[in-house]
């Protein structure tokens, strides 16, 4: 090996930064094995060369977000799902704001009839974004609200309906069945809908995100991911395994509590940010 | 996919043959298993290192108990160490400061502060106290509505003045209102914030200065990953937390964040949230055993 900058400490440091960015053991080991192999094969001796190989190997693990499947028909429907407090309602406000600015005729459905003041929360956001919100009473059947909202969206010629749902833990059988029912209501009203099912993951979450991905995908056929709260110091490295497992691309990143704090996912930016401590 | 730690350790020791005394090589291999299990459970890396170090020191040369196989011996040590690190369930401390006692709920966005505030009020009422809720989150849309709805739902008196005043002033006036209502404990619900948000952390310091809380509870999500250390350290350094509340324990997260937060702050875990419903059944005293088993995957 002789004149190499790369030693045991290099690998230990890399492993530590992977783990601390929440990549998880499996992804960490896969990437480290690949790096060690490549380093040996290509005779890499400098840490800055290694850095380049590392980043490129991580870029390759994620896909850039494809365009959302929300055009080319009268009414497109996005269903938003996720565990409690992950940032669903706030992300809906941000999406509504974004699509309205792009000239879309957006409407929101207050499908969380369970959590205290969830309806008022969405209504407040609706006012701020300047988009109508279809809601019913607290405690009412979410499927019925969703049905009403679809009718209203069609009647008022909205071309994009975004549906909020109550937070639920993926291991709660009954609540996951309820979500399936909501999905079925949508598909019955508009045959190829929902056109996007976006799973909202809290960027501070660790390895449990993988199970969230699996269970929500099973129940609702998730088509994309939103990772929130990456304006803090959390890295969100768990998305590598979620993406691998669920196969749904990260579409957006939440970077704050304001209505404009949502950006499209950028693989390079994300990966580079993982190691800026 | 997940092999339990005790299974893993058993395999390791079987492979090693295993004599009557746990040797250094036995321990080395076993500690690799422990490290993996803790990392899979989201225990933060620096905490894992400390923990494994302590287990190793206790395990090396430990005389294998007559009735225990070597892997069982190591599991026993791990269990004891885990219990020591997690500590007993902390009780609320109402000694000292003048009445009404103030409890501040703090934490990241969406961790469960408002929900836990309402549950805590119910819990205190059952203990024979007179709880009172203050809605000091003026940022999140409908946060005040949320707290008021919950307060009404479970019939706890509250103070709110909408969202145009400053949270620091609302907290102070809420405390006055609670005094007038003869409340014995005031729970202040604050807005979620990142520990690196200097302006909002300064606001918390100010609420603390003006209300002199007996307890500042950091409410944390059981699903939290490696970030747990930064969160707990950040809040503790700025406002000095006195206890932890671990929420969403009804999920299937392994909950390593509990160990991380407890270890870096030394502050006891006091309660666990185990459901969305506001009820006494979903707000429990912290069970170190239960969380220990979960973290260890046993
Ligand atoms: N810092 C930060 N906070 C966020 C972000 N997205 C959401 N939040 C905050 O996280 C908290 C929870 O957000 P909500 O949108 O209510 O989450 P939810 O998933 O709808 O919650 P439930 O409906 O209760 O399950 C709020 O305080 C939001 O302001 C983000 O990208 N960054
Ligand atoms: N399953 C479950 N859900 C919980 C628990 N505690 C809180 N929640 C849910 O988590 C979500 C967020 O709870 P909140 O009480 O609004 O959290 P918060 O910390 O006040 O949020 P912000 O004020 O936006 O920072 C809501 O959907 C709650 O119903 C719990 O123990 N179990
Ligand atoms: K959270
Ligand atoms: Mg919501
Ligand atoms: Mg709150």
């Amino acid at each position: 090996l002789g004149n190499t900058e790369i030693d045991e400490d290099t690998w230990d440091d890399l492993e530590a930064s992977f783990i601390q960015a929440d990549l998880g053991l499996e992804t960490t080991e896969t990437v480290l094995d690949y790096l060690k192999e490549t380093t040996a094969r290509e005779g890499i001796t400098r840490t800055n060369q290694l850095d380049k190989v590392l980043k490129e190997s991580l870029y390759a693990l994620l896909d850039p977000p494809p365009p959302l499947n929300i055009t080319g028909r009268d009414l497109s429907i996005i269903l938003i799902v996720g565990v409690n407090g992950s940032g669903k309602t706030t992300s809906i406000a941000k999406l509504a704001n974004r699509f309205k600015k792009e000239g879309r005729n957006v409407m929101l459905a207050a499908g969380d009839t369970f959590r205290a003041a969830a309806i008022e929360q969405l209504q407040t956001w609706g006012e701020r974004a300047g988009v109508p919100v279809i809601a019913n009473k607290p405690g009412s059947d979410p499927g019925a609200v969703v049905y009403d909202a679809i009718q209203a969206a069609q009647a008022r010629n909205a071309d994009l309906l975004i549906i909020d749902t109550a937070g639920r833990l993926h291991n709660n059988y009954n609540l996951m069945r309820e979500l399936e029912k909501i999905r079925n209501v949508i598909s019955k009203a508009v045959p190829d809908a929902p056109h996007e099912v976006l799973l909202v993951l809290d960027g501070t979450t660790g390895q449990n995100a993988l199970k969230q991905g699996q269970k929500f995908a099973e129940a609702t056929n998730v088509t994309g991911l939103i990772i929130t709260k990456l304006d803090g110091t959390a890295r969100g490295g768990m998305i590598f395994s979620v993406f691998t497992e669920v196969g749904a691309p990260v579409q957006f990143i939440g970077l704050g509590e304001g209505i404009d704090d949502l950006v499209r996912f950028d693989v390079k930016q994300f990966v580079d940010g993982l190691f800026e401590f | 996919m997940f092999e339990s730690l005790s299974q893993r350790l058993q395999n390791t020791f079987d492979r090693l043959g295993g004599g009557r005394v746990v040797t250094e090589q036995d321990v080395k291999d076993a500690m690799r298993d422990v490290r993996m299990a803790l990392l899979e459970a989201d225990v933060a890396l620096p905490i894992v290192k400390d923990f494994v170090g302590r287990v190793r020191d206790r395990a090396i040369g430990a005389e294998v108990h007559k009735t225990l196989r070597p892997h069982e011996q190591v599991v026993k040590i791990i269990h004891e160490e885990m219990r020591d690190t997690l500590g007993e369930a902390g009780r609320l401390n109402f000694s000292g400061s003048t009445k009404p006692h103030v409890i501040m709920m703090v934490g990241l966005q969406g961790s469960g502060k408002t929900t836990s505030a309402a549950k805590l009020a119910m819990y205190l009422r059952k203990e024979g106290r007179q709880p009172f809720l203050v809605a000091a989150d003026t940022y999140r849309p409908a946060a005040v509505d949320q707290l008021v709805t919950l307060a009404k739902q479970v019939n706890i008196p509250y103070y709110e003045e909408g969202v145009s005043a400053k949270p620091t002033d609302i907290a102070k006036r809420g405390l006055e209102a609670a005094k007038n209502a003869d409340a014995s404990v005031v729970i202040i619900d604050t807005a979620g914030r990142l520990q690196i948000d200097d302006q909002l952390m300064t606001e918390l310091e100010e609420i603390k200065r003006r209300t002199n809380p007996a307890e500042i509870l950091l409410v944390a999500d059981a699903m939290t990953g490696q970030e747990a250390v930064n969160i707990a350290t950040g809040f503790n350094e700025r406002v000095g937390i006195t206890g932890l509340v671990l929420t969403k324990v009804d999920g299937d997260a392994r909950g390593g964040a509990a160990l991380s937060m407890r270890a870096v702050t030394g502050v006891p875990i006091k309660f666990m949230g185990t459901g969305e419903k506001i009820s006494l059944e979903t707000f429990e005293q912290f069970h170190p055993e239960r969380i220990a088993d979960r973290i260890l995957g046993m």
Side-chain angles (χ1 to χ4, degrees):
Chain A
L1 234 62
N3 240 342
T4 178
E5 292 177 0
I6 300 163
D7 55 15
E8 252 338 284
D9 285 346
T10 314
W11 299 121
D12 285 352
D13 290 350
L14 265 184
E15 184 187 44
S17 57
F18 286 179
I19 286 171
Q20 292 189 285
D22 286 316
L23 266 76
L25 276 179
E26 222 174 286
T27 311
T28 297
E29 273 165 30
T30 311
V31 176
L32 276 181
D33 286 349
Y34 171 82
L35 287 178
K36 284 178 184 170
E37 214 177 275
T38 311
T39 307
R41 195 181 53 237
E42 296 183 5
I44 291 173
T45 55
R46 303 250 157 256
T47 44
N48 63 347
Q49 291 171 291
L50 178 64
D51 206 47
K52 193 162 165 266
V53 180
L54 158 67
K55 283 186 174 161
E56 270 158 14
S57 70
L58 290 174
Y59 299 155
L61 290 179
L62 297 167
D63 282 356
L68 288 169
N69 174 26
I70 52 168
T71 51
R73 58 183 81 80
D74 290 344
L75 174 66
S76 294
I77 299 180
I78 305 177
L79 178 66
I80 304 290
V81 301
V83 298
N84 306 83
S86 63
K88 294 175 292 302
T89 307
T90 310
S91 297
I92 288 171
K94 295 170 179 177
L95 289 172
N97 178 56
R98 180 186 190 96
F99 293 126
K100 177 149 197 255
K101 279 188 180 160
E102 287 175 7
R104 301 293 299 261
N105 189 355
V106 185
M107 212 179 243
L108 306 180
D112 179 359
T113 59
F114 177 78
R115 215 213 54 229
I119 297 170
E120 288 87 339
Q121 185 187 4
L122 190 70
Q123 283 169 331
T124 306
W125 278 123
E127 276 163 36
R128 288 191 196 167
V131 304
V133 177
I134 304 301
N136 204 326
K137 282 200 211 45
S140 61
D141 172 26
V145 180
V146 167
Y147 182 81
D148 290 349
I150 295 173
Q151 303 296 309
Q154 286 169 332
R156 295 196 224 164
N157 291 320
D159 60 19
L160 182 62
L161 176 68
I162 311 176
I163 299 174
D164 194 11
T165 60
R168 67 199 74 224
L169 296 178
H170 50 283
N171 63 329
N172 185 318
Y173 181 83
N174 290 335
L175 291 180
M176 293 308 280
R177 293 295 78 76
E178 181 195 79
L179 198 56
E180 277 177 22
K181 271 206 304 210
I182 293 174
R183 198 198 144 87
N184 290 340
V185 168
I186 300 169
S187 309
K188 252 194 191 146
V190 178
D192 56 344
H195 307 97
E196 290 282 352
V197 179
L198 302 182
L199 170 63
V200 180
L201 297 170
D202 183 329
T204 352
T205 308
Q207 300 313 303
N208 192 247
L210 185 57
K211 284 191 196 148
Q212 293 173 29
Q214 288 164 341
K215 294 290 180 186
F216 276 98
E218 262 171 47
T220 61
N221 197 9
V222 169
T223 60
L225 309 171
I226 298 178
I227 320 293
T228 63
K229 310 184 195 177
L230 287 186
D231 43 324
T233 47
R235 307 282 153 169
M238 80 296 184
I239 69 170
F240 290 98
S241 58
V242 179
F243 173 67
T244 307
E245 179 71 26
V246 180
V250 183
Q251 285 284 359
F252 297 98
I253 295 284
L255 292 175
E257 299 186 77
I259 204 159
D260 291 315
D261 298 331
L262 185 81
V263 301
R264 290 230 86 190
F265 179 64
D266 181 307
V267 175
K268 191 170 176 304
Q269 226 169 29
F270 175 78
V271 168
D272 294 354
L274 281 174
F275 305 107
E276 282 161 14
F277 286 92
Chain B
M1 180 186 93
F2 184 75
E3 186 189 8
S4 83
L5 176 57
S6 73
Q7 185 63 49
R8 236 184 235 170
L9 288 170
Q10 186 173 349
N11 295 344
T12 297
F13 281 107
D14 285 353
R15 210 170 47 238
L16 292 165
R20 292 246 322 124
V21 173
V22 181
T23 68
E24 206 155 335
Q25 187 57 47
D26 293 348
V27 170
K28 197 171 169 218
D29 288 8
M31 289 314 110
R32 198 170 306 137
D33 295 336
V34 178
R35 178 177 185 273
M36 265 172 78
L38 295 178
L39 287 174
E40 278 171 355
D42 286 322
V43 179
L45 187 61
I47 309 306
V48 172
K49 284 188 179 153
D50 288 353
F51 187 90
V52 169
R54 288 199 305 277
V55 172
R56 180 189 294 121
D57 292 347
R58 283 174 69 167
I60 289 178
E63 187 78 19
V64 175
H65 196 276
K66 281 189 192 60
T67 56
L68 293 182
R69 298 171 59 194
H71 79 273
E72 291 171 332
Q73 178 79 11
V74 172
V75 167
K76 188 167 168 278
I77 293 171
I78 292 166
H79 254 288
E80 285 165 8
E81 197 58 46
M82 182 67 74
R83 234 188 5 239
D84 290 351
T85 312
L86 282 173
E88 291 299 304
R91 306 201 148 270
L92 290 172
N93 173 20
F94 291 130
S95 61
S97 60
T98 47
K99 270 195 181 179
H101 302 293
V102 172
I103 302 179
M104 259 170 88
M105 310 296 278
V106 304
L108 289 195
Q109 290 92 345
S111 64
K113 294 172 295 299
T114 307
T115 306
S116 300
K119 291 176 178 179
L120 178 59
M122 285 187 84
Y123 172 89
L124 291 168
R125 182 172 57 196
K126 188 175 152 255
E127 300 265 280
R129 300 179 193 270
Q130 292 77 45
F132 189 97
L133 289 161
V134 176
D137 176 0
T138 59
Y139 305 105
R140 168 175 167 169
V144 175
D145 283 336
Q146 184 187 1
L147 189 74
V148 168
T149 304
L150 297 180
K152 285 181 178 160
Q153 195 176 302
V154 295
N155 205 13
I156 303 278
Y158 61 88
Y159 180 80
E160 64 102 355
E161 50 178 292
V163 297
S164 29
K166 286 200 308 199
T168 46
D169 292 333
I170 296 174
K172 183 72 190 159
R173 288 194 286 264
L175 178 54
E176 293 309 316
K179 273 182 200 159
N180 294 335
D182 286 327
S184 65
V185 191
V186 184
I187 304 166
I188 302 176
D189 181 31
T190 67
R193 67 202 72 213
L194 297 167
Q195 77 281 359
I196 54 164
D197 187 328
D198 187 52
Q199 194 183 334
L200 286 183
M201 291 308 285
T202 304
E203 180 193 276
L204 277 191
E205 291 170 337
E206 179 73 4
I207 295 178
K208 176 183 177 180
R209 196 180 61 72
R210 295 183 64 181
T211 62
N212 187 29
E215 291 273 0
I216 300 180
L217 301 179
L218 176 63
V219 181
D221 188 321
M223 297 178 271
T224 309
Q226 295 286 318
E227 183 66 359
V229 163
N230 296 332
I231 299 166
T233 311
F235 276 92
N236 199 32
E237 280 174 357
R238 293 298 292 263
V239 294
I241 58 174
T242 61
L244 296 159
V245 178
L246 191 67
T247 62
K248 309 179 198 176
V249 176
D250 46 323
D252 58 4
R254 301 274 302 284
L259 191 76
S260 307
M261 292 187 156
R262 159 81 205 197
V264 291
T265 61
V267 156
I269 305 168
K270 299 201 169 174
F271 298 101
M272 306 188 301
T274 56
E276 295 172 72
K277 272 232 202 73
I278 310 301
S279 94
L280 290 167
E281 277 84 63
T282 57
F283 193 68
E284 304 176 33
Q285 286 258 289
F286 173 61
H287 294 291
E289 292 293 335
R290 225 164 95 192
I291 298 296
D293 286 351
R294 256 167 95 142
I295 293 175
L296 294 171
M298 292 179 175

